[in-house]
Each structure stands twice: as structure tokens, then as C-alpha cells.
Amino acid sequence: MTNTPTTAILDQVLALVTLFSSDMERSDRELGLSPSRTHLLWLLQLNGPQTQRQLAESMTVSPRNITGLVDALVGTGFVTREPHPDDRRAVLVTLTTHGHDTMTRMEADHEQLADDLLRDLSPDRRERFSADVATVTATLAQLIAEHEASQ
């Protein structure tokens, strides 16, 4: 096995990130979504109806940003605002049928892409790849946190 310079590996990772980003942007654009709107829809798909406050905390954005995102998603038919059953002051953001169907298709596409991308890797290589990606991701998160703490 030949040694690959670390910068060449980083270049490969960056190329992969660029391809993923371009594909996600294309997919979002076709659906009339943005990355933030898609993120909000994923949260609702995974966790069910939530208050705007819960969504703001999960996305680490301001309540004002969530209001704008939800307004846009209500306007395009992906979500509704409904009265909270236990708190008269709060509303729940809920996927519409259109929103749920869209996210179900996205989930299926996500699973298919994972299968397509990893089909040539044996189960052992998939496990090693997963562990390596987790290690690199944790290291990057740590480096970012250290950098932010030093600012």
C-alpha cells in the first residue's frame, strides 16, 4: 500500500463535500427549498410536531429566523401552524401531507444514495470507513471548538 499525503486525502474529502453540497442544492432548488428549510423539515419528520421555540433551539438560530422559515414553509404548503394541546400560548409546527410525502421521498432517496455509494464496500470496509469518518468528524469539531475558544 502506498502512502497518500494527508493533503491529498483532505483534497478528496473536500471534493466529496463539494459534490454532496451541489447535489443537495440541486435537490432543494427542484423542491423550492433552501438548506435551512430542508433542515427544519427533517427535524419535523424525525421528531414530529414541534413548537417554533423547540425548532429554534434544535437549529441554533433565533426565534425570528424560525418565524421566517416557518412562514415560507406554510406559504409553500409544507407545514401548518396548529394550536398546542397543552399550552395556549404556543403553536405546533406540523408537516402537511405534502410535507410528509416530500420528506418520505427524501428519506427513500437518502437511503438509496447511501446504498449506491457504499455498494462496492464490504461490510468490514464499511465499518472501518464509518469509524474513520467519525474520527475525522470529531477531530474537526474539536479543532473548530478550540479555534472559537481562542478568539
Side-chain angles (χ1 to χ4, degrees):
M1 181 173 185
T2 62
N3 288 337
T4 304
T6 56
T7 54
I9 295 170
L10 178 60
D11 290 345
Q12 290 173 323
V13 170
L14 293 172
L16 185 61
V17 168
T18 300
L19 287 170
F20 273 126
S21 293
S22 295
D23 187 55
M24 288 171 51
E25 286 175 18
R26 179 201 48 77
S27 177
D28 284 348
R29 193 172 43 254
E30 288 174 0
L31 294 169
L33 296 169
S34 67
S36 296
R37 291 177 191 174
T38 300
H39 184 192
L40 191 149
L41 293 173
W42 274 114
L43 290 171
L44 294 175
Q45 179 76 356
L46 295 172
N47 303 314
Q50 296 179 55
T51 65
Q52 290 188 183
R53 180 183 184 133
Q54 290 171 312
L55 290 167
E57 289 172 3
S58 293
M59 294 179 71
T60 61
V61 298
S62 72
R64 184 176 185 176
N65 283 347
I66 287 297
T67 298
L69 290 171
V70 172
D71 286 347
L73 289 168
V74 167
T76 53
F78 286 96
V79 302
T80 60
R81 288 186 176 100
E82 301 184 14
H84 192 288
D86 303 322
D87 184 350
R88 293 183 317 179
R89 296 168 294 161
V91 295
L92 287 176
V93 180
T94 305
L95 288 173
T96 61
T97 300
H98 171 62
H100 177 72
D101 291 348
T102 299
M103 296 313 297
T104 299
R105 274 193 315 277
M106 274 189 167
E107 278 183 311
D109 291 347
H110 188 76
E111 288 178 22
Q112 185 62 55
L113 180 59
D115 289 344
D116 290 345
L117 288 174
L118 301 174
R119 71 175 166 232
D120 294 332
L121 298 181
S122 68
D124 286 345
R125 285 188 63 200
R126 285 182 188 193
E127 283 185 38
R128 284 196 315 269
F129 180 67
S130 178
D132 291 343
V133 169
T135 298
V136 170
T137 301
T139 301
L140 179 58
Q142 180 182 357
L143 291 171
I144 291 169
E146 289 170 359
H147 177 76
E148 290 174 352
S150 71
Q151 297 300 312

